[in-house]
């Protein structure tokens, strides 16, 4: 097994690989494909794997691939927690996670993007404290996309880790959260390092995040080529220079203004509109090959925007405060124009 650079994950004291594995994407591949990816990551020296109870079969795949080396890896998972006081939800999810991953303990159990910060006397938090006393949960963390919840979590002193979006597109307010975690000795787990696929250059992302020694990115991996690219960058880190700074500034200029980060909290949509990608279709089609979005299926998906019933579920649940219905309308107008201009290239 290769030796990888490790960092101390805040006051958990856990030494985790600076380049870590985000397991959300493995729910899109078969068990055997996922096992190959997970084992390859482990054999290459990655020791930190992040997943969630809600990522369909992601936890099962981790159990399938890595249960025999459980004592050599660190697993973080998440439990939904939507209603204050409902400890039963967290209890059920924890028990399911343990069973799926074939383990009797979770290294870091995180509340999964709650709209509030569970307080110390909250029954669900108290349940995790008891599980920690029993050794079933070793550390308690929280994930979020909301700045005010992130600050409350840090200030509370209750959480040993915070998982929060951070990338080259980060605002000054986002960076303040990162720095505050360092000051409070809260482990910072970085999600959305590639901003949901909008950032094109892994090299730039990697070099940017290396500038924050305490930040631990969990890079989402779905293909062996992606894993190999991150491992190569980890083995030969790019040096931050004027060219990389220029690349970052270019990304920021091109992605300025409102854009969807594809977090998925707008779903489900009662009209089955594919919101997370439909709301940023222009970026996807101009920053990567566009032909995959000219299919009959994508045409139908974008047309469903016209059937919006304006329930505002998506708008009310967007942690970034986007006017999602308006964004969808503008993105469809752009898509319709592009589609007409490239109709001869579309799948009939």
């Amino acid at each position: 097994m290769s030796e990888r650079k490790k960092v101390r994950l805040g006051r958990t004291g856990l030494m985790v690989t600076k380049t870590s594995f985000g397991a959300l994407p493995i729910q899109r591949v078969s068990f055997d494909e996922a096992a190959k990816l997970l084992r390859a990551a482990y054999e290459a020296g990655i020791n930190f794997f992040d997943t969630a109870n809600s990522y369909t079969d992601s936890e099962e795949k981790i159990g399938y691939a890595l249960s025999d080396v459980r004592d050599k890896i660190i697993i973080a998972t998440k439990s939904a927690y939507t209603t204050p006081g409902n400890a039963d939800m967290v209890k059920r999810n924890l028990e399911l996670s343990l069973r799926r991953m074939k383990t009797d303990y979770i290294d870091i159990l995180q509340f999964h993007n709650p709209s509030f910060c569970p307080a110390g006397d909250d029954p669900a938090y108290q349940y995790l404290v008891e599980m920690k006393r029993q050794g079933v949960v070793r550390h308690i963390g929280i994930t979020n996309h909301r700045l005010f919840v992130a600050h409350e979590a840090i200030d509370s002193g209750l959480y040993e880790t915070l998982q929060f979006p951070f990338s080259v597109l980060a605002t000054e307010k986002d960076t303040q959260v990162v720095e505050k975690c360092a000051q409070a000795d809260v482990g910072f787990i970085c999600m959305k390092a590639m901003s949901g696929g909008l950032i094109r250059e892994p090299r730039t992302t990697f070099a940017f995040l290396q500038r924050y020694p305490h930040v631990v990115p969990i890079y989402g991996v779905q293909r062996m080529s992606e894993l190999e690219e991150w491992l190569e960058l980890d083995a030969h880190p790019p040096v931050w220079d004027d060219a990389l700074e220029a690349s970052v500034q270019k990304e920021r200029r091109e992605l300025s203004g409102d854009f969807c980060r594809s977090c998925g909290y707008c779903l489900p949509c009662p009209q089955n509109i594919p919101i997370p990608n439909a709301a940023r279709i222009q970026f996807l089609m101009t920053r990567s090959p566009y032909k995959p979005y000219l299919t009959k299926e994508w045409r139908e998906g974008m047309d469903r925007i016209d059937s919006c019933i304006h329930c505002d579920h998506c708008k009310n649940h967007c942690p970034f405060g986007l006017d999602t219905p308006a964004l969808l309308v503008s993105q469809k107008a752009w898509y319709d124009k592009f589609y007409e201009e490239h109709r001869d290239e579309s799948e009939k």
Side-chain angles (χ1 to χ4, degrees):
M1 185 190 301
S2 303
E3 187 63 32
R4 297 280 163 185
K5 178 182 178 181
K6 292 186 176 69
V7 299
R8 176 178 169 273
L9 190 60
R11 61 176 178 269
T12 68
L14 296 170
M15 297 301 295
V16 301
T17 43
K18 173 73 170 172
T19 298
S20 293
F21 194 106
L24 183 152
I26 64 170
Q27 63 186 318
R28 304 180 192 130
V29 301
S30 70
F31 266 72
D32 287 338
E33 288 176 286
K36 288 177 183 177
L37 284 170
L38 291 161
R39 290 303 292 205
Y42 167 73
E43 294 296 341
I46 290 178
N47 76 338
F48 184 39
F49 298 83
D50 178 88
T51 184
N53 177 273
S54 62
Y55 296 166
T56 61
D57 60 3
S58 175
E59 289 183 325
E60 290 177 273
K61 287 168 176 170
I62 288 176
Y64 175 68
L66 298 174
S67 60
D68 62 319
V69 292
R70 177 66 184 95
D71 61 328
K72 297 179 176 64
I73 62 174
I74 295 164
I75 295 175
T77 193
K78 314 175 189 81
S79 169
Y81 188 46
T82 57
T83 307
N86 184 14
D88 287 344
M89 173 185 288
V90 178
K91 182 176 186 293
R92 286 194 305 271
N93 288 341
L94 174 58
E95 290 172 350
L96 183 57
S97 293
L98 293 167
R99 187 161 63 251
R100 284 171 167 174
M101 291 190 285
K102 302 178 183 179
T103 182
D104 56 6
Y105 68 95
I106 302 296
D107 295 288
I108 307 172
L109 197 289
Q110 305 159 99
F111 286 121
H112 197 174
N113 195 43
S115 59
F116 59 97
C117 178
D121 59 355
D122 187 293
Y125 185 85
Q126 285 298 311
Y127 168 71
L128 292 185
V129 169
E130 175 58 23
M131 291 300 97
K132 187 174 178 181
R133 188 189 68 79
Q134 295 181 22
V136 178
V137 169
R138 296 192 169 178
H139 304 283
I140 303 171
I142 188 169
T143 82
N144 227 266
H145 293 77
R146 303 165 182 83
L147 282 165
F148 81 90
V149 175
H151 282 288
E152 284 184 16
I154 300 167
D155 292 340
S156 72
L158 299 172
Y159 298 95
E160 297 165 273
T161 64
L162 170 69
Q163 187 171 149
F164 192 78
F166 192 57
S167 73
V168 298
L169 303 178
T171 66
E172 183 179 346
K173 290 181 178 180
D174 298 327
T175 304
Q176 287 171 356
V177 170
V178 173
E179 293 171 347
K180 190 173 183 178
C181 278
Q183 294 165 4
D185 203 20
V186 172
F188 189 93
I189 303 170
C190 165
M191 68 163 107
K192 301 290 182 184
M194 298 293 286
S195 200
L198 292 184
I199 298 171
R200 292 173 293 191
E201 183 51 67
R203 186 170 177 271
T204 304
T205 289
F206 193 93
F208 174 79
L209 293 173
Q210 289 293 107
R211 301 173 69 191
Y212 297 87
H214 68 290
V215 167
V216 177
I218 46 169
Y219 297 115
V221 176
Q222 183 174 334
R223 300 177 181 85
M224 193 64 72
S225 60
E226 295 170 350
L227 175 62
E228 290 169 349
E229 185 167 24
W230 292 121
L231 292 173
E232 177 62 21
L233 287 167
D234 187 71
H236 303 97
V239 177
W240 189 264
D241 55 18
D242 290 343
L244 284 176
E245 178 64 31
S247 177
V248 166
Q249 295 308 320
K250 185 173 185 291
E251 295 279 19
R252 287 175 175 168
R253 285 194 302 273
E254 292 181 1
L255 291 169
S256 61
D258 290 341
F259 66 93
C260 175
R261 277 80 165 178
S262 191
C263 66
Y265 293 106
C266 51
L267 300 176
C269 171
Q271 299 303 96
N272 201 28
I273 299 169
I275 297 173
N277 283 333
R280 60 184 188 145
I281 195 72
Q282 181 177 353
F283 290 126
L284 291 172
M285 294 180 71
T286 56
R287 298 171 68 82
S288 60
Y290 62 80
K291 286 187 178 180
Y293 300 98
L294 295 177
T295 63
K296 177 183 177 183
E297 289 74 21
W298 261 105
R299 174 74 267 180
E300 292 173 349
M302 293 302 292
D303 282 345
R304 285 198 287 275
I305 292 172
D306 293 332
S307 69
C308 175
I309 60 175
H310 300 284
C311 66
D312 279 351
H313 176 275
C314 56
K315 182 177 179 179
N316 294 335
H317 286 78
C318 178
F320 300 96
L322 299 178
D323 185 346
T324 310
L327 190 58
L328 287 168
V329 170
S330 67
Q331 290 293 294
K332 184 176 186 297
W334 181 91
Y335 180 85
D336 288 347
K337 185 174 184 294
F338 190 98
Y339 187 89
E340 286 303 313
E341 293 173 350
H342 297 80
R343 180 185 287 275
D344 58 332
E345 301 175 52
S346 64
E347 287 186 6
K348 301 298 187 284

